[in-house]
């Protein structure tokens, strides 16, 4: 957990799901996994970066297992409690990668997370906090996980996008990356960008610019809504549910008490180029199953968020 990956492979070559591109994706994921695994073996301690903040009581050893000197952490959910940890430092911009392996088998009703947040639990809509989420929504055995991304800016959320994944996230570790800089937020999976949330503050859209955030991870019970809209409940006979976390990297992120320059942190000015845009389109075209901008079931009292229209106009101008 405390180890620092020696490098990452960025994959921006994919256009559409053809046999060729499938082989390219598979090869890229194998290389990324190899890099992360070798980095994980290099050493480091969970307690250098993180502290346990949930699940310590009444049975901490059943909730958060720190293994092999902190190179592996397992979070546990049962019908008594979930569990979670958070970084000791808070950051104002950064690139954060967490290696995760999700709950195998029947995981219906469970939520496994890696996210950034400016506020400790409890958090709610309208409380002014900033947040960037990877949430993995469990399912019954044999059915695919849903990966949900979300962004809260100054307390305003409800910006969910959901995706299926192009691999089994329970079979091995994969890298989930949040790049957060003054220009945009880029969500990536094994180096493939799946979502971009741009800074449209000049157009009146709130952005995550001023509040430092901690990196956090958790597993908890969301049976009221997670699987089939809550129709499938958590089967506690399969508990404990265990999610695994491996290598973590935020080595160049900006600690909130210090400043960052583009020279010291090249990601501070990073946006997707043409190849990155094609990779993003590939992920959206083939694996996105819900976008808040187009969700007919989502009601926005003040209308569809302004960034939806701004991004559509920008996309249309490129066609």
């Amino acid at each position: 957990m405390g180890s620092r990956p020696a490098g990452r492979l960025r994959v921006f070559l994919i256009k559409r799901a053809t046999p060729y591109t499938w082989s390219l994706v598979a090869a890229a994921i194998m290389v990324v996994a190899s890099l992360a695994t070798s980095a994980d073996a290099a050493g480091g301690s969970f307690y250098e970066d993180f502290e346990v903040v949930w699940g310590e009581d009444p049975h901490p050893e059943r909730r958060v297992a720190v293994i092999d000197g902190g190179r592996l952490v397992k979070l546990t959910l049962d019908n008594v409690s979930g569990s979670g940890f958070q970084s000791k430092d808070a950051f104002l911009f950064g690139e954060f990668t967490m290696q995760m392996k999700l709950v195998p088998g029947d995981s219906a009703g469970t939520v496994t997370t890696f996210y950034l947040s400016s506020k400790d639990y409890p958090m709610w809509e309208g409380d002014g906090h900033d947040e960037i989420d990877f949430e993995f929504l469990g399912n019954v055995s044999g059915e695919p996980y849903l990966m949900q991304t979300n962004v809260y800016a100054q307390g305003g959320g409800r910006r969910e996008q959901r995706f299926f994944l192009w691999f089994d996230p329970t079979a091995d570790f994969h890298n989930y990356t949040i790049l957060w800089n003054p220009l945009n937020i880029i969500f990536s999976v094994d180096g493939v960008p799946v979502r971009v949330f741009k800074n449209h503050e000049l157009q009146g859209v709130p952005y995550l610019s001023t509040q430092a955030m901690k990196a956090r991870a958790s597993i908890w019970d969301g049976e009221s809504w997670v699987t089939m809209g809550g129709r499938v409940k958590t089967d506690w006979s399969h508990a404990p549910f265990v999610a695994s976390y491996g290598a973590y990297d935020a080595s160049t992120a900006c600690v909130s008490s210090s400043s960052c320059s583009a020279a010291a942190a090249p990601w501070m000015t990073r946006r997707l180029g043409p190849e990155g845009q094609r990779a993003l389109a590939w992920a959206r075209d083939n694996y996105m199953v819900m976008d808040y901008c187009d969700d007919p079931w989502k009601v926005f009292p003040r209308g569809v968020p302004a960034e939806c229209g701004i991004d559509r106009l920008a996309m249309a101008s490129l066609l």
Side-chain angles (χ1 to χ4, degrees):
M1 179 63 65
S3 55
R4 306 300 191 189
R8 298 191 196 92
L9 178 67
R10 296 292 175 190
V11 185
F12 295 146
L13 302 177
I14 308 159
K15 294 182 180 179
R16 289 294 184 269
T18 66
Y20 171 77
T21 57
W22 272 117
S23 64
L24 175 60
V25 171
I29 289 172
M30 288 176 65
V31 175
V32 171
S34 175
L35 286 171
T37 302
S38 63
D40 185 50
S45 170
F46 168 81
Y47 293 108
E48 292 176 7
D49 296 312
F50 295 103
E51 57 186 347
V52 174
V53 292
W54 182 32
E56 293 187 282
D57 209 14
H59 301 292
E61 72 282 358
R62 299 183 188 177
R63 306 275 182 260
V64 181
V66 181
I67 300 167
D68 192 19
R71 294 179 177 86
L72 174 66
V73 174
K74 294 187 175 183
L75 294 184
T76 299
L77 167 69
D78 61 20
N79 61 351
V80 175
S81 174
S83 53
F85 58 85
Q86 68 182 24
S87 63
K88 293 180 178 179
D89 289 328
F91 306 90
L92 188 60
F93 304 123
E95 185 173 30
F96 308 83
T97 296
M98 182 70 78
Q99 207 182 12
M100 299 173 63
K101 183 166 69 171
L102 304 184
V103 177
D106 185 353
S107 57
T110 68
V111 184
T112 305
T113 75
F114 168 51
Y115 66 108
L116 309 177
S117 178
S118 64
K119 188 176 185 295
D120 294 337
Y121 183 85
M123 298 163 283
W124 57 85
E125 182 84 14
D127 66 356
H129 82 285
D130 288 347
E131 185 175 331
I132 306 170
D133 295 336
F134 273 115
E135 296 177 314
F136 300 90
L137 313 183
N139 214 332
V140 294
S141 298
E143 296 297 322
Y145 260 86
L146 275 175
M147 180 181 73
Q148 176 169 286
T149 64
N150 200 358
V151 175
Y152 283 79
Q154 300 170 29
R158 306 183 69 205
R159 294 181 169 97
E160 298 92 345
Q161 291 183 353
R162 291 182 177 181
F163 302 80
F164 290 129
L165 293 165
W166 50 92
F167 52 83
D168 179 359
T170 73
D172 205 347
F173 286 91
H174 291 269
N175 293 333
Y176 302 92
T177 299
I178 297 168
L179 169 65
W180 166 41
N181 67 27
L183 303 175
N184 53 202
I185 297 162
I186 302 174
F187 296 80
S188 300
V189 178
D190 283 339
V192 179
V194 297
R195 179 179 183 177
V196 177
F197 183 82
K198 297 179 180 179
N199 184 343
H200 293 306
E201 283 185 308
L202 293 179
Q203 288 82 20
V205 179
Y207 190 68
L208 297 74
S209 298
T210 60
Q211 299 190 77
M213 297 195 284
K214 292 185 176 183
R216 306 170 193 261
S218 63
I219 183 171
W220 45 279
D221 176 32
E223 68 171 8
S224 63
W225 63 275
V226 165
T227 307
M228 298 293 291
R231 295 190 296 276
V232 179
K233 303 299 183 182
T234 306
D235 185 347
W236 295 110
S237 69
H238 294 151
F241 301 99
V242 180
S244 300
Y245 294 78
Y248 164 77
D249 182 25
S251 56
T252 62
C254 304
V255 177
S256 58
S257 59
S258 63
S259 61
C260 257
S261 67
W267 49 260
M268 279 287 281
T269 57
R270 187 185 304 158
R271 288 186 271 202
L272 293 183
E275 292 180 345
Q277 293 288 352
R278 286 193 287 272
L280 178 69
W282 174 84
R284 291 176 61 91
D285 291 349
N286 292 286
Y287 296 102
M288 178 182 281
V289 295
M290 190 272 275
D291 183 350
Y292 70 106
C293 289
D294 301 314
D295 184 2
W297 302 104
K298 188 177 288 292
V299 177
F300 294 99
R302 299 181 181 178
V304 176
E307 69 268 15
C308 297
I310 296 169
D311 289 339
R312 285 196 185 102
L313 287 173
M315 185 65 66
S317 68
L318 298 175
L319 299 178

